[in-house]
Amino acid sequence: MEKLELSGHSLARKLAIQSPSPEQRCDVNWANPNNSQLWVKRDDLLHPIISGNKWRKLKYALAMALSQSTTHIISFGGGYSNHLHALGYCCYQLGIQFTAIVRGNYQQNLTPMLQDLVQWQSDIQYVDKATYQRRNDADYLSSLEQRYPQAQIIAEGGSQHSALQGVAEIISELQQEYDYILLPVASGGTLAGLIQSTNSSQLIGIAVLKGKGYLESLVQQLLNGDQQCQWQILHDFHHGGYAKSSTELSDFCRNFSHFPIESVYSGKLLFAAKQLLAQGYFAANSKVLLIHTGGLQTNRD
Ligand SMILES: *Cc1c(COP(=O)(O)O)cnc(C)c1O
């Protein structure tokens, strides 16, 4: 364990990760009948390219890859994926071959994210929806293993058990205690890592997609029954589904000027926080921390 921590540390230095990320008072002027204090953990500032929570989730998987001299990594995502973007860049910097299995047919029309992967010499394989759906199936994964016997396969979003240790470092960096911690949730790895490492705060996940029941089960699977704190996922703030928006959300994101956000994750988180504050959702005078998980590369088109 200690050895892995050391290699995680040297990996962070090699990639110029700026940790700890800032923990700032969020001085917004919103309706706040219960007088809650709002703070934000700026994981969007960990690195200009490697998206915040993707670094947290990939740190120990990459440290392990380096310690085992892995030469090839394979993972999965959509055409705008922050995970593929972060991992593609890390692999390029570390001299590891990267294969991105991408859902959808973007060959003729590369997104800015895919253009970056091309620049970073990733091998991109486009698959249809049906194939992509098999990304966690044992028989599909073993066919990949047979085809690429040297490769390490990393789950979609980097949400696998090894992610939890890196995410826990968000908590160990904190300068003070909070009554509530809020974060966006898509594949559950970040929430699971926080649940496992927090015992004094209530954790509130904001679902960014339609996934009532499903998201909770993803988190439970990653936790293996290991949980210390109260947690829940709120499902009223996805604005129609993953990467979908509403006029209200778009207006909110456009007018928000305290720090950069985007509309897929951090915008939905901040919008939810604003509504929860207005409803008096949090106990009187409580301290509320928002995790800014990054993802600003999707703001490009
Ligand atoms: C991937 C991502 C998330 C979702 O994290 P999960 O661990 O998949 O729930 C949140 N915010 C940003 C910016 C992301 O890129």
Side-chain angles (χ1 to χ4, degrees), residues 51 53-54 57 82-83 157 159 184-191 262 265-266 293-296:
S51 184
N53 75 328
K54 299 309 183 282
K57 294 197 282 182
N82 292 324
H83 164 67
S159 286
V185 178
S187 68
T190 312
L191 177 56
E262 41 66 55
Y265 299 100
S266 48
T293 45
L296 300 170

Side-chain angles (χ1 to χ4, degrees), residues 154-287:
I154 293 184
E156 178 187 55
S159 286
Q160 50 191 22
H161 198 75
S162 68
L164 305 187
Q165 186 184 355
V167 172
E169 293 174 358
I170 297 177
I171 300 295
S172 56
E173 285 176 11
L174 294 180
Q175 315 271 339
Q176 55 179 344
E177 290 200 347
Y178 293 92
D179 302 295
Y180 303 89
I181 298 178
L182 271 67
L183 71 154
V185 178
S187 68
T190 312
L191 177 56
L194 293 177
I195 291 169
Q196 213 179 42
S197 55
T198 313
N199 45 36
S200 53
S201 311
Q202 271 194 56
L203 282 172
I204 301 177
I206 304 299
V208 301
L209 47 88
K210 288 185 186 167
K212 207 172 200 159
Y214 165 74
L215 289 177
E216 284 81 356
S217 72
L218 288 180
V219 173
Q220 295 285 7
Q221 274 168 38
L222 284 164
L223 284 174
N224 281 330
D226 198 1
Q227 47 184 284
Q228 327 243 0
C229 67
Q230 276 189 45
W231 65 276
Q232 63 180 311
I233 301 177
L234 302 181
H235 294 277
D236 294 330
F237 302 101
H238 57 62
H239 298 262
Y242 184 71
K244 299 267 165 51
S245 192
S246 61
T247 318
E248 293 155 289
L249 177 65
S250 308
D251 289 348
F252 173 80
C253 291
R254 200 172 326 105
N255 294 323
F256 186 83
S257 57
H258 299 269
F259 44 80
I261 57 173
E262 41 66 55
S263 62
V264 184
Y265 299 100
S266 48
K268 289 181 182 179
L269 172 71
L270 269 295
F271 191 82
K274 182 178 180 187
Q275 291 194 314
L276 293 169
L277 279 181
Q279 290 165 17
Y281 181 91
F282 306 109
N285 305 310
S286 48
K287 276 191 181 161

Side-chain angles (χ1 to χ4, degrees), residues 16 66 116 196 207:
L66 284 184
D116 283 344
Q196 213 179 42

